[in-house]
């Protein structure tokens, strides 16, 4: 036992024990650091920053591009409608060049008749009643109708 006690107090034994204890502390601190260490490295943070910067830098031009494309599509649609309207007007002009079409339109719209013909106009009785009702309400201004409504509602309260 004396030999064992002597080894325990020897410098080599103490240095070995001290080295083992230090190694154990270093190992424990490294495992704690690794456990607490986040997965976000400096490179990943830089990459995220660059991507965010690109997104912010490109957001406005992309929005402008999309709005301009929509505007171009709208202008093209208007141009197509105008082209179709021009074609309709050209067709109408060509029809009015024909004497038979012009004569038919004059008879229908202006109620003209050729010499020797008798012209008749048939009036729908329902249309005549409706036009009389419109004539009664037409000369009265809108504010008079509003005021009458107020008077009627006031009289109903009494």
């Amino acid at each position: 036992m004396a030999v064992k006690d002597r080894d325990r107090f020897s410098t080599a034994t103490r240095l070995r024990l001290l080295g083992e204890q230090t190694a154990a502390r270093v190992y424990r601190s490294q495992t704690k650091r690794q456990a607490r260490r986040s997965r976000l490295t400096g490179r990943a943070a830089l990459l995220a920053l660059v991507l965010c910067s690109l997104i912010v830098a490109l957001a406005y031009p992309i929005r402008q591009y999309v709005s301009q494309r929509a505007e171009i599509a709208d202008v093209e649609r208007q141009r197509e409608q105008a082209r179709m309207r021009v074609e309709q007007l050209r067709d109408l002009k060509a029809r009015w060049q024909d004497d038979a079409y012009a004569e038919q339109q004059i008879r229908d719209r202006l109620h003209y008749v050729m010499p020797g013909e008798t012209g008749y106009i048939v009036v729908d009785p329902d249309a005549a009643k409706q036009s009389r009702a419109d004539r009664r309400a037409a000369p009265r201004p809108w504010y008079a109708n509003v005021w009458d409504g107020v008077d009627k509602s006031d009289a109903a309260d009494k």
Side-chain angles (χ1 to χ4, degrees):
M1 184 113 150
V3 175
K4 207 168 201 184
D5 284 336
R6 219 166 104 210
D7 281 344
R8 196 170 108 191
F9 294 111
S10 73
T11 307
T13 305
R14 277 199 239 148
L15 285 176
R16 190 178 67 230
L17 282 174
L18 187 64
E20 288 173 2
Q21 289 173 354
T22 307
R25 280 190 211 130
V26 168
Y27 177 73
R28 273 186 274 153
S29 67
Q30 283 180 348
T31 56
K32 286 180 184 177
R33 255 190 266 141
Q34 287 174 353
R36 281 186 268 147
R37 192 175 196 184
S38 69
R39 294 177 182 245
L40 184 67
T41 63
R43 288 181 182 173
L46 182 65
L47 179 64
L49 181 68
V50 168
L51 286 176
C52 289
S53 299
L54 284 174
I55 289 171
V56 168
L58 293 177
Y60 183 74
I62 289 174
R63 192 184 86 191
Q64 289 292 347
Y65 174 76
V66 169
S67 67
Q68 286 176 359
R69 293 304 302 170
E71 190 175 329
I72 288 170
D74 187 41
V75 168
E76 287 177 352
R77 183 185 49 79
Q78 289 176 357
R79 186 190 69 186
E80 183 63 27
Q81 288 176 348
R83 187 186 60 76
M84 290 174 59
R85 178 70 179 142
V86 167
E87 287 180 15
Q88 289 173 350
L89 291 173
R90 283 185 182 152
D91 291 345
L92 184 62
K93 181 181 175 185
R95 276 191 263 148
W96 275 101
Q97 297 298 324
D98 184 23
D99 290 337
Y101 180 78
E103 182 180 327
Q104 176 194 5
Q105 292 299 315
I106 291 170
R107 285 175 175 257
D108 289 343
R109 293 182 184 187
L110 302 176
H111 305 289
Y112 278 24
V113 292
M114 295 299 283
E117 293 179 350
T118 305
Y120 296 98
I121 298 176
V122 179
V123 178
D124 184 18
D126 294 332
K129 289 178 186 174
Q130 185 181 19
S131 66
R132 277 191 225 122
D134 290 341
R135 275 189 244 133
R136 261 186 278 133
R140 190 166 188 193
W142 65 270
Y143 50 85
N145 292 334
V146 171
W147 193 251
D148 285 346
V150 171
D151 287 339
K152 286 179 184 175
S153 67
D154 188 38
D157 289 341
K158 290 178 183 179

